[in-house]
Amino acid sequence: MAQKRIFLSPPHLSGNEQMYVNEAFATNWIAPTGPNVSQFEENMAKYVQTKSSVAVSSGTAAIHLALLLLNVQKGDLVFCSTLTFVASANPIVYVGADPVFIDSEEESWNMSPLALERALHEAKKNRRLPKAVIVVHLFGQSAKMNEILAICHQYNVPVIEDAAESLGSEYQGRKSGSLGSFGIYSFNGNKIITTSGGGMLVSDDVERLNHAKYLAAQARDPLPFYQHQTVGYNYRMSNVLAGVGIAQLQVLDERVEAKRALFVRYKESLRHIEHIQFMPELAGTKSNRWLTTFTIDEKEKVTEILNALEKENIEARRVWKPLHTQPVFSSCRYYPHLEYKSVSDQLFTKGLCLPSGTSMSEQDQDRVIDIVDSVCHSFKKRGIVQ
Ligand SMILES: *Cc1c(COP(=O)(O)O)cnc(C)c1O
């Protein structure tokens, strides 16, 4: 019989969730937004140290709202990291704007300041600067924010941080997602903490976030009857799910340490294998190590490792397929790191994410390690590694 399945990053409850959910039921505050939502927002803003936050139904909705707050419209340009999940860029299309994709650099695997600079320089020359830049912090690792913010400041373009994967991570002592004009988080089931589904928009711009709350609740004017001056959205988080979020946030720091410990154990156990390189941690940053990720020198090896893991009922994944290579975005512009070097394409070809659930036992982690180890050993025996 097949062994129990090991998932990539399954939900890990703290035990306190039920209490907040029960309270919502006991007070019949199932919907709409209620005390759990306000509490969760307050706790999140305090945790990431922003002045305000808005709890919404998904990370994708939070990105959509951020674009609306920046008045991004049909025909506008929005720059976005290419090495990411498709949800980073979909909202650009929701508002009718055109995405332009920016490559990664090797030290953080995130947005290349060089490629960004080139793209902005060219956009200015064409008199078509982007309305926003969406910077993603991949697998928990913060992008080079000092460089990116400086360049964007020079061209006067606001930055939205897609911190869906990097809640709890730090950049020079500040929480990832709190450095740009807006930051977004996701509480989807596979993220470091979850509300089963949900997201958060954060910012120091209290006025704009109040407008986000208005837009996210069907843009209803504060009148005794239903009146609307603009098109709104049904994007608010439910009071039940916010209860789950409150309890999850209480254990976030523990989860970060657990993910980091998993990473260290993988790295120590696999360090003897040649040609494996674990995702780096940029100096001055602390990654939440949402997923332990490494590259190996050949595409075929990635396939072989993934197949071996799947055969043993273990879920592992490739690194995100860059958005500039996605059929849905085939007509979009792309700026590689160097004119003739695309870093994200290489990371996709050679990259692999290992199961990184914080509830995973050492025995389960050993199952993963043993398989990766034996497949890599077989490469050597077959002379695939010189
Ligand atoms: C998960 C994720 C999102 C989307 O979040 P949802 O809550 O699933 O809408 C956006 N960007 C990145 C990088 C993600 O990993």
Side-chain angles (χ1 to χ4, degrees), residues 6 18 24 31 42 59 71 89 111 114 144 154 221 223 233 240 268 274-275 278 280 320 330 341 367 378 384:
I6 299 177
Q18 195 80 54
E42 203 177 298
N71 199 26
M111 187 178 280
L114 275 181
K144 292 187 169 175
Q154 194 188 325
D221 287 343
L223 292 168
Y233 301 84
V240 176
E268 294 297 314
E274 288 168 75
H275 306 285
F278 283 88
W320 300 121
S330 61
K341 180 177 184 177
R367 269 176 65 196
S378 83
I384 299 176

Side-chain angles (χ1 to χ4, degrees), residues 12-245:
H12 182 183
L13 296 181
S14 72
N16 288 332
E17 289 81 4
Q18 195 80 54
M19 185 178 83
Y20 295 98
V21 172
N22 284 349
E23 198 172 290
F25 276 73
T27 54
N28 200 33
W29 220 313
I30 307 305
T33 58
N36 279 345
V37 173
S38 321
Q39 189 65 58
F40 187 34
E41 287 175 340
E42 203 177 298
N43 296 358
M44 269 292 289
K46 195 162 164 215
Y47 182 85
V48 302
Q49 301 203 336
T50 55
K51 288 190 183 138
S52 188
S53 66
V54 184
V56 291
S57 51
S58 70
T60 312
I63 299 172
H64 188 187
L65 288 168
L67 294 173
L68 292 168
L69 295 178
L70 291 170
N71 199 26
V72 182
Q73 292 176 351
K74 194 169 157 61
D76 287 336
L77 293 182
V78 175
F79 290 3
C80 181
S81 304
T82 191
L83 190 60
T84 182
F85 180 48
V86 69
S88 301
N90 277 343
I92 301 171
V93 182
Y94 299 168
V95 298
D98 300 321
V100 172
F101 295 109
I102 311 291
D103 197 13
S104 301
E105 49 79 28
E106 283 122 337
E107 287 177 319
S108 70
W109 292 22
N110 286 306
M111 187 178 280
S112 156
L114 275 181
L116 175 64
E117 170 89 72
R118 229 180 324 114
L120 281 170
H121 182 79
E122 199 167 299
K124 185 165 187 184
K125 226 172 47 192
N126 296 337
R127 296 168 190 274
R128 202 176 167 213
L129 277 168
K131 276 275 190 77
V133 172
I134 300 175
V135 179
V136 179
H137 307 302
L138 206 65
F139 305 131
Q141 173 58 54
S142 294
K144 292 187 169 175
M145 287 305 288
N146 279 352
E147 290 86 339
I148 290 167
L149 287 171
I151 296 165
C152 288
H153 185 71
Q154 194 188 325
Y155 288 89
N156 205 15
V157 180
V159 171
I160 299 168
E161 289 183 84
D162 179 347
E165 300 176 3
S166 68
L167 179 56
S169 302
E170 289 173 15
Y171 182 87
Q172 298 181 355
R174 293 170 68 185
K175 291 295 180 194
S176 182
S178 69
L179 287 83
S181 299
F182 298 97
I184 77 94
Y185 302 98
S186 164
F187 309 113
N188 189 32
N190 61 356
K191 298 303 196 295
I192 190 160
I193 61 170
T194 182
T195 60
S196 88
M200 189 79 70
L201 175 64
V202 302
S203 176
D204 285 331
D205 191 334
V206 178
E207 208 172 305
R208 274 195 167 129
L209 281 207
N210 283 337
H211 191 62
K213 283 181 190 167
Y214 164 82
L215 289 176
Q218 306 283 26
R220 184 180 165 192
D221 287 343
L223 292 168
F225 41 86
Y226 283 84
Q227 178 169 295
H228 310 268
Q229 312 191 31
T230 183
V231 173
Y233 301 84
N234 185 4
Y235 276 171
R236 279 299 248 162
M237 182 180 277
S238 99
N239 198 54
V240 176
L241 299 188
V244 179

